[in-house]
Amino acid sequence: MLLQSDLPLNPSSDDIVGSLRRAILAHRVAPGSKLVEDEVSDVFGVGRSIARTALQALAHEGLVTIIRNRGAFVADPGVREAREVFEARALLEPRTARSAAERATPAAVKLLHKHIAAEHQALQAGDLGKAVYLSGLYHMAIADLADQATIAAMISTLVARSSLIVALYWRRPQALCESHVHHALTDAIAAHDGARAEDLMKGHLVDLLANLDLREKLQIGGSLCDILRQA
Amino acid sequence: MLLQSDLPLNPSSDDIVGSLRRAILAHRVAPGSKLVEDEVSDVFGVGRSIARTALQALAHEGLVTIIRNRGAFVADPGVREAREVFEARALLEPRTARSAAERATPAAVKLLHKHIAAEHQALQAGDLGKAVYLSGLYHMAIADLADQATIAAMISTLVARSSLIVALYWRRPQALCESHVHHALTDAIAAHDGARAEDLMKGHLVDLLANLDLREKLQIGGSLCDILRQA
DNA sequence: CAATCTAAAATTGTCTACAATTTATCATAA
DNA sequence: TTATGATAAATTGTAGACAATTTTAGATTG
């Protein structure tokens, strides 16, 4: 389990949450992976209590699934959940993008450009996982601009879950992605054009969902005999 | 700390979360109250670990605030947060009410009527706290009808936080409340009139917010001398 | 009397031990 | 070989012990 080790010597559970979250969102640990408490506590050099607390926090975010007596696993969202997450984003983010556009300062716009640049760089370096992660940060940055902490927090967890969903269902291995949309969105925000920002965001979310392959992963029912037949 | 004791002998942290949540939402514990870990564990007859886990879960829901080395307190939302919570509800609930109307079955409508009846009964019994709690359940029931678990979960926590907000900022001690609106909404849902349900919900949320007294609780800045002058 | 400091009590943070449960291993039998 | 079942290993659940911190109470001083 690869973890960037820019951590204090006695990390708090929040530090561990952050580190694990980055690892999950950048797809450095596969969905469904087991997260053993002893391993986590060893890696971070803390007792099991703290590791446990961190895993429970991630479970509340929906990035980890805890099954009683079985342990913690990196979340493995199904197609149903994938659709639901984007439904929720569709309700929250377009309006939020509008507010962001109405309030954006030059400094904020500069920050958005920085996010886009970093994402672009990761893409060119071939690190798709990191690019997806950074793309999420861009959406969160917009949410922060709207100055609605409660909504921003909800968007934040939805975006995080989306990152996991993209890892599982993204159709095109290396399409040129959506950096154009992010550019256009940033322009609308810089121009304080709320209506356009709202529309762009709405379309962007539709595009994202459309680029997922949401056929059932494995329909265990009828295909089992087929699998046996092939073998 | 009054708690209905319909709990198993060895309650899980989830049981405790539920019990504490009901107590908080029905205003049986005041916002800002300290929740000492030892007391919680004694009341429920469990070790401190489980009580701790429960309090952390409630903190993730926004019903409890945990301050490091100081402990857990029943959340005490400010006016800012109050506005934000209703902003978020305004983005989520109207559309969700529309979906609910489009999908509602007769059994579901019957359930909504039951909720309204219970709420009405609590109001007549003078138990305002319970009425607010039940009113919240009504909104959650609608969210469940829409068959979007992710959105429903978000609405659920927002409604819960609203209950706390109403406890703090409700203007009229015992106005005839909004049972009429709930009735009209239920009718729209029963008639599968999605558009009307959406409108009613939107208006209902505006009304709720309008009936809050969101002047600053204590504006420590300039008014301190005024207070001293009055004394 | 108010303010400040000190010591005791209370409370939270963390670790570790032990119990309960699940998972893995391996021998046995069909 | 494949199933089945018993045993051992690994892992999680819970409680309690001790350390660190905050809160309280009392004494001291101006």
Side-chain angles (χ1 to χ4, degrees), chain A residues 45-50 69-70:
Chain A
V46 298
R48 202 153 62 84
S49 334
I50 297 179
N69 284 323
R70 302 258 333 263

Side-chain angles (χ1 to χ4, degrees), chain A residues 68-124:
Chain A
R68 186 163 216 282
N69 284 323
R70 302 258 333 263
F73 305 81
V74 177
D76 189 10
V79 291
R80 173 71 181 274
E81 184 177 337
R83 277 188 230 278
E84 283 192 354
V85 165
F86 278 92
E87 283 282 343
R89 291 184 64 174
L91 291 187
L92 295 174
E93 291 197 65
R95 294 266 200 126
T96 301
R98 172 184 284 241
S99 302
E102 288 164 356
R103 304 165 163 274
T105 63
V109 174
K110 203 168 239 170
L111 183 66
L112 292 183
H113 276 123
K114 251 188 181 169
H115 275 292
I116 294 178
E119 184 187 343
H120 199 68
Q121 194 175 343
L123 261 182
Q124 292 216 321

